[in-house]
């Protein structure tokens, strides 16, 4: 069977939803409720009854109709996952069975336990084809169903009108009564909407992070180049110019080595290199081969060479070898070519200064013999005049170079302001004019705090003071209210000290970034999360009602069983009744677990501190009689609000199974970028053969849900957990928090709950 692609049909969708063909009408209605999404629905052949479509065929079907460049979600039966046949790039979403897509799993389990077989409207409409695929003849009655169940139940979604003759014909074929239970499509709609909104949230978050990282990297690289070129332009000695060029190449490209071959009118000079021991005569020939070329990328694609030319004269050849990221070698080459003319000007100026110094020394020597060599003095005077003209020309070119650098600063996409130690504004670039709305001519020379009194009102003036002490301060994001620009904006700012050549602080440079777009994206992300929360609340209400009804019926069974035990004298009957009571108690525990489990992810994760959680009243009762020790790195953990339940279950588990637990230790330690939270007790420990099983649902001596719930709570924020204690010594659970899920406690963050 070929897949049906629609709702609408995209040649390159952003998201593909795979679902059984029996849901065709229901998924059509649900997808129509999701606006403006590039979503494609692909219906795979029904396989629950085996027949023509075995799991291998379904796996091949999914692989053929999925796009590895885009995300795909699979809804329904999890047999493909259990058999390891789910193709890469496809993620399972929603409950583990197709039936549970239209009704809660507890409801489905209740029906099955009552001895019924469940079918869906889409299956019933084509039941003759499906039973043929199972190997039956629809024209002959079968005992296949009646041998194991006592009735057939159709979960009616209300989307398909089921003809009465279809129901009657299947009753005749199966030999069982067919009963219809209306369930609607709200459960299916909630599952699909939740999965789609979660996918959209992840995509928006990823896009925002990439845009911010790219902007920050670009701005940092531009500022670094501007600062280093400005420094090179002020140097008057050629060897100092070369030294700074090497430093700039190291900072920008992190190469293994950099070489420079000076070229004089009389021929090549002595090669200069860093590190110093990287000199090799063979490199002279390589660099000389670049003469007459604009550039050359070395054969191994990890470096390049460029001639440094000024006024059509080659002054030297620069070679950069084995850059840190070979894939970006062309980007590095283009960046180098953008400032080689400025480097040539700096080297030419240095040589001019050297020539001028030489001429000056000669002039001083001649002045000593002024009276004896007037003619020689005249000649030297003429040479000096010529050198002065060259110097004037060089100074003019240097001024033009400074204007060029100033143009780069003025065109930068970051607001730049420079102040003296008394906070008088000395420089205000066009990007600052655009962001703040004040022209440079209107505020230059004025006091920064007088122009912007909000800096004092919002207690941000101390950042200026910190910069004057030598700190580089990244200030918190700030909402700048409507001012002269006429609209409010969000800004991010960095305060840095300005040094003179003696490393004395002579002012402050303020960099401002307009992050309004990023903040608006974060607000969109928040709205998407609220939509998910509303859908989850609807599901929770339905689940709560279902649990309440189940508990009421269990109470009836339990009450009657207790009454019968009191009056029953037959021992075997009493044992059977006691088993019924035990089963009822187990059902109550499982229902309680589903209540706790549905609370997962309902509330947004928050930053929490272990020490504060341990002080809560709910934990103090279970900790009675146990010594608690907390050591290690003080940190805030980004986790679900049910993190308190994790600690509670671990402590309860220690007291229940540790036999003689009297002390519990919680240690936090940084390992690489991650944080390890180790929980250990002095009980009997966990047997080696149990370590990999204890986190599975239903495994354990009690309900078997405690450690499974712990793993699910932590997994919401990508925190993993493992047991690595020694049997007989004590249990030890290690929770691994990823690098973006924790932060060290500072004065500001320590006030968080």
């Amino acid at each position: 069977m070929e897949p049906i692609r629609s709702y609408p049909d995209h040649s390159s969708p952003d998201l593909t939803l795979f679902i059984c063909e029996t849901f065709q009408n229901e998924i059509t209605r649900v997808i129509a409720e999701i606006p403006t999404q590039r979503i494609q629905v692909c219906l795979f052949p029904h396989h629950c009854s085996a027949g023509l479509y075995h799991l291998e065929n379904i796996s091949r079907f999914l692989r053929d109709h999925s796009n590895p460049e885009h995300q795909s979600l699979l809804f329904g039966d999890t047999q493909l996952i259990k058999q390891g046949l789910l193709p890469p790039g496809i993620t399972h979403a929603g409950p583990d069975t197709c039936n549970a897509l239209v009704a809660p799993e507890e409801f489905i389990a209740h029906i099955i336990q009552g001895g019924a077989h469940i079918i869906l409207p889409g299956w019933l409409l084509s039941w003759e084809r499906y039973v043929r695929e199972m190997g039956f003849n629809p024209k002959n009655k079968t005992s296949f169903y009646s041998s194991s169940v006592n009735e057939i139940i159709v979960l009616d979604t209300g989307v398909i009108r089921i003809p009465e003759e279809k129901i009657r014909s299947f009753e005749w074929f199966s030999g069982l009564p067919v009963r219809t239970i209306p369930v609607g499509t709200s459960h299916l709609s909630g599952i699909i909407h939740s999965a789609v909104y979660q996918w959209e949230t992840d995509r928006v978050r990823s896009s925002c992070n990439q845009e911010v990282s790219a902007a920050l990297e670009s701005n940092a690289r531009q500022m670094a180049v501007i600062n280093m070129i400005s420094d090179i332009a002020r140097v008057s000695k050629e060897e100092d110019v070369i030294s700074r060029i090497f430093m700039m190449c190291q900072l920008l490209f992190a190469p293994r080595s950099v070489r420079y071959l000076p070229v004089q009118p009389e021929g090549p000079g002595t090669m200069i290199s860093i590190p110093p021991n990287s000199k090799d005569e063979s490199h002279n020939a390589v660099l000389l081969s670049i003469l007459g070329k604009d550039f050359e990328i070395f054969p191994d694609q990890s470096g390049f060479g460029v001639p440094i030319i000024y006024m059509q004269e080659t002054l030297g050849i620069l070679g950069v070898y084995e850059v840190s990221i070979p894939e970006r070698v062309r980007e590095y080459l283009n960046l180098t070519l953008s400032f080689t003319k400025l480097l040539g000007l700096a080297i030419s100026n240095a040589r001019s200064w050297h020539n001028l110094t030489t001429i000056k020394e000669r002039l001083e020597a001649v002045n000593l013999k002024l009276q004896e060599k007037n003619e020689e003095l005249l000649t030297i005077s003429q040479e000096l005049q010529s050198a002065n003209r060259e110097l004037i020309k060089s100074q003019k070119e240097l001024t033009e170079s400074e204007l060029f650098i100033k143009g780069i600063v003025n065109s930068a996409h970051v607001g730049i302001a420079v102040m003296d130690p008394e906070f008088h504004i000395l420089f205000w670039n066009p990007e600052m004019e655009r962001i703040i709305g004040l022209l440079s001519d209107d505020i230059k020379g004025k006091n920064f705090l007088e122009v912007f009194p909000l800096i004092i009102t919002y207690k941000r003036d101390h950042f200026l003071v910190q910069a004057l002490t030598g700190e580089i301060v990244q200030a918190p994001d700030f909402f700048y209210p409507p001012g002269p620009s006429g609209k409010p904006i969000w800004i991010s700012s960095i305060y840095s000290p300005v040094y003179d050549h003696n490393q004395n602080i002579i002012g402050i440079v303020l960099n401002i970034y307009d992050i309004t777009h990023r903040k608006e994206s974060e607000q969109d992300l928040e709205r998407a999360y609220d939509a998910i929360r509303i859908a989850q609340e609807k599901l929770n209400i339905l689940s709560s009602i279902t649990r309440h009804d189940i508990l009421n019926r269990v109470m009836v069974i339990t009450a009657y069983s207790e009454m019968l035990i009191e009056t029953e004298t037959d021992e075997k009957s009493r044992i059977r009744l006691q088993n019924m009571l035990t089963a009822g108690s187990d059902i109550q525990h499982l229902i309680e677990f589903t209540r706790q489990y549905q609370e997962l992810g309902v509330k947004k994760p928050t930053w929490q501190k272990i020490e504060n959680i341990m002080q809560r009243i709910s934990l103090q009762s279970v900790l009675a009689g146990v010594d608690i020790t907390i050591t290690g790195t003080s940190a805030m953990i980004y986790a679900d609000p049910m993190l308190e339940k994790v600690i509670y279950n671990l402590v309860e588990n220690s007291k229940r199974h540790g036999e003689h637990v009297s002390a519990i230790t919680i240690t936090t330690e940084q390992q690489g970028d991650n944080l390890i939270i180790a929980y250990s007790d002095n009980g009997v420990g966990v047997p080696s053969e149990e370590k990999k099983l204890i986190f599975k649902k239903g495994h354990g001596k009690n309900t078997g849900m405690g450690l499974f719930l712990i793993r699910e709570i932590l997994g919401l924020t990508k925190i993993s957990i493992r047991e690595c204690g020694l049997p007989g010594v004590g249990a030890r659970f290690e929770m691994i928090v990823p690098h973006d899920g924790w932060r060290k406690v500072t004065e500001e963050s320590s006030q968080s709950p």
Side-chain angles (χ1 to χ4, degrees), residues 110 113 550-551 553-554 557-558 580-594:
H110 178 71
Q113 289 173 0
I550 292 173
L551 285 174
R553 286 158 176 77
V554 170
I557 294 172
T558 302
M580 290 175 61
L581 281 174
T582 302
S585 177
D586 290 343
I587 292 173
Q588 289 175 330
H589 286 304
L590 290 172
I591 292 299
E592 173 61 20
F593 170 78
T594 62

Side-chain angles (χ1 to χ4, degrees), residues 338-569:
S338 69
F339 54 69
T340 51
K341 187 174 181 180
L342 294 175
L343 300 181
L345 175 60
I347 293 175
S348 177
N349 288 343
R351 291 183 180 180
S352 297
W353 277 107
H354 176 73
N355 294 337
L356 180 61
T357 302
T358 302
I359 294 173
K360 182 180 179 181
E361 291 174 354
R362 291 172 58 190
L363 179 59
E364 291 175 351
V366 170
N367 284 336
L368 296 176
K369 303 177 182 180
L370 180 61
Q371 294 178 354
E372 299 176 356
K373 299 183 178 181
N374 288 332
E375 292 182 1
E376 186 178 354
L377 178 61
L378 178 60
T379 302
I380 295 175
S381 176
Q382 291 173 348
E383 292 178 354
L384 181 60
Q385 290 177 4
S386 176
N388 283 336
R389 286 194 296 271
E390 184 68 20
L391 177 60
I392 292 172
K393 181 180 178 181
S394 297
Q395 289 177 336
K396 180 180 178 181
E397 293 171 347
L398 184 61
T399 300
E400 293 175 352
S401 174
E402 291 176 348
L403 291 174
F404 176 75
I405 294 172
K406 184 176 180 180
I408 294 176
V409 173
N410 286 339
S411 63
H413 295 296
V414 55
I416 303 174
V418 180
M419 292 167 272
D420 64 15
E422 286 74 38
F423 310 139
H424 294 105
I425 300 172
L426 306 178
F427 177 77
W428 191 266
N429 79 335
E431 183 66 7
M432 284 293 268
E433 294 179 343
R434 185 194 70 79
I435 295 175
I436 304 302
L438 295 176
L439 299 178
S440 174
D441 293 340
D442 295 337
I443 63 171
K444 188 178 293 184
K446 295 182 180 180
N447 188 281
F448 185 77
L449 297 179
E450 294 177 358
V451 177
F452 302 102
L454 287 177
I455 297 296
I456 298 176
T457 303
Y458 290 98
K459 297 181 180 180
R460 297 172 67 89
D461 52 324
H462 65 92
F463 299 136
L464 296 168
V465 178
Q466 287 179 257
L468 286 177
T469 63
E471 293 186 45
I472 298 177
V473 183
Q474 171 71 63
D477 296 344
F478 178 64
F479 183 74
Y480 188 77
S485 63
K487 65 176 183 177
I489 59 173
W490 278 95
I491 61 175
S492 175
S493 52
I494 301 175
Y495 299 79
S496 307
V498 179
Y499 298 91
D500 62 11
H501 64 283
N502 292 322
Q503 295 300 304
N504 296 318
I505 297 177
I506 59 173
I508 303 168
V509 60
L510 169 61
N511 294 336
I512 285 183
Y513 305 87
D514 184 350
I515 60 171
T516 305
H517 179 69
R518 190 190 79 190
K519 289 293 184 179
E520 291 173 349
S521 298
E522 291 175 353
Q523 292 172 357
D524 292 340
L525 188 64
E526 183 69 21
R527 284 192 289 270
Y529 187 89
D530 288 341
I532 294 174
R533 178 183 56 79
I534 292 172
Q536 184 66 39
E537 288 177 352
K538 292 180 179 180
L539 290 175
N540 290 347
I541 292 173
L542 181 61
S543 298
S544 177
I545 294 172
T546 303
R547 279 197 307 273
H548 182 269
D549 292 343
I550 292 173
L551 285 174
N552 285 342
R553 286 158 176 77
V554 170
M555 288 178 63
V556 171
I557 294 172
T558 302
Y560 277 113
S561 297
E562 290 176 345
M563 293 170 60
L564 289 172
I565 285 177
E566 293 178 357
T567 59
E568 182 61 52
T569 58

